[in-house]
């Protein structure tokens, strides 16, 4: 356990960024929760997009059925004044409504959240520093790449389910 604490301390010592940003577990924890918030925001965006696409699909299905029926006998279909009126109404206003639905921007909430959170993201230098720190750990303790990548560090008692492979 002492070795794992030392390994973590050693890693955090080398995780240096602007103004000591990534040097504490607390700051890294904040990043973890920021990412969780972004995932929640992304799921909400996906739900809104799925809802919007479902509405577009309903329009397409309705219009597909209608046009199949109408084009089987166009003169007979248009011979009925209500059908002729409904065609003009669809083309004049309903297609415009569909266009607005298709063009509806549902990204605002997610993009706003991402933009705000991004200012706290690590930089390329931070990532490079973290990678160098891992290489120093590997060299110092003669750890294999598989040992490090699996999260199975000597003295570490964490469950492997805690370690996430990405």
């Amino acid at each position: 356990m002492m070795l794992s604490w030392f390994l973590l301390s050693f890693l955090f010592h080398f995780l240096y960024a602007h103004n000591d940003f990534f040097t504490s577990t607390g700051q890294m924890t904040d990043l973890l929760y920021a990412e969780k918030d972004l995932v929640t925001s992304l799921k909400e965006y996906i739900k809104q997009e799925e809802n919007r696409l479902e509405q577009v699909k309903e329009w397409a299905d309705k219009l597909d059925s209608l046009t199949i029926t109408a084009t089987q006998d166009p003169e007979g279909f248009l011979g009925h004044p209500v059908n002729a009126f409904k065609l003009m109404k669809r083309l004049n206003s309903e297609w415009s409504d569909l266009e607005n639905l298709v063009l509806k921007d549902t990204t605002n909430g997610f993009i706003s959240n991402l933009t705000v959170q991004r200012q706290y993201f690590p930089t390329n230098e931070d990532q490079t520093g973290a990678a160098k720190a891992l290489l120093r750990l590997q060299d110092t303790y003669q750890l294999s790449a598989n040992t490090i990548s699996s999260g199975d560090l000597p003295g570490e008692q964490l469950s492997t389910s805690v370690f996430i492979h990405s």
Side-chain angles (χ1 to χ4, degrees):
M1 182 65 172
M2 192 63 165
L3 177 61
S4 96
W5 180 250
F6 179 75
L7 288 173
L8 284 174
S9 297
F10 185 77
L11 177 64
F12 285 123
H13 173 74
F14 287 101
L15 288 176
Y16 172 80
H18 312 292
N19 300 323
D20 300 324
F21 190 52
F22 294 98
T23 57
S24 79
T25 303
Q27 289 165 326
M28 296 296 287
T29 300
D30 290 345
L31 288 177
L32 191 59
Y33 282 105
E35 185 174 49
K36 182 180 181 191
D37 181 54
L38 284 171
V39 169
T40 301
S41 181
L42 179 61
K43 286 181 176 182
E44 180 60 32
Y45 162 70
I46 291 168
K47 189 185 330 176
Q48 290 172 357
E49 281 295 296
E50 287 174 340
N51 182 42
R52 186 180 63 81
L53 288 174
E54 184 59 35
Q55 290 174 349
V56 171
K57 185 180 180 302
E58 288 171 9
W59 274 79
D61 291 344
K62 178 183 99 173
L63 293 171
D64 185 41
S65 174
L66 182 63
T67 56
I68 287 172
T69 301
T71 56
Q72 288 176 352
D73 179 16
E75 288 146 9
F77 182 81
L78 293 172
H80 193 292
V82 172
N83 288 341
F85 171 77
K86 285 184 171 184
L87 174 63
M88 286 189 272
K89 180 181 178 226
R90 274 195 313 278
L91 293 173
N92 187 42
S93 61
E94 292 180 14
W95 275 94
S96 178
D97 293 343
L98 178 60
E99 179 182 22
N100 291 334
L101 180 62
V102 169
L103 294 175
K104 181 179 177 185
D105 186 6
T106 60
T107 62
N108 288 340
F110 173 69
I111 295 299
S112 295
N113 192 12
L114 180 59
T115 301
V116 167
Q117 297 291 349
R118 182 170 281 154
Q119 66 185 331
Y120 303 110
F121 282 9
T123 64
N124 288 337
E125 292 84 19
D126 298 323
Q127 183 177 340
T128 300
K132 286 179 181 178
L134 286 174
L135 289 173
R136 284 187 193 101
L137 284 175
Q138 183 180 8
D139 289 344
T140 301
Y141 294 100
Q142 301 298 305
L143 302 172
S144 72
N146 284 341
T147 298
I148 289 177
S149 68
S150 70
D152 187 25
L153 299 175
E156 186 63 43
Q157 299 298 320
L158 292 177
S159 164
T160 55
S161 66
V162 173
F163 188 74
I164 299 173
H165 301 277
S166 59

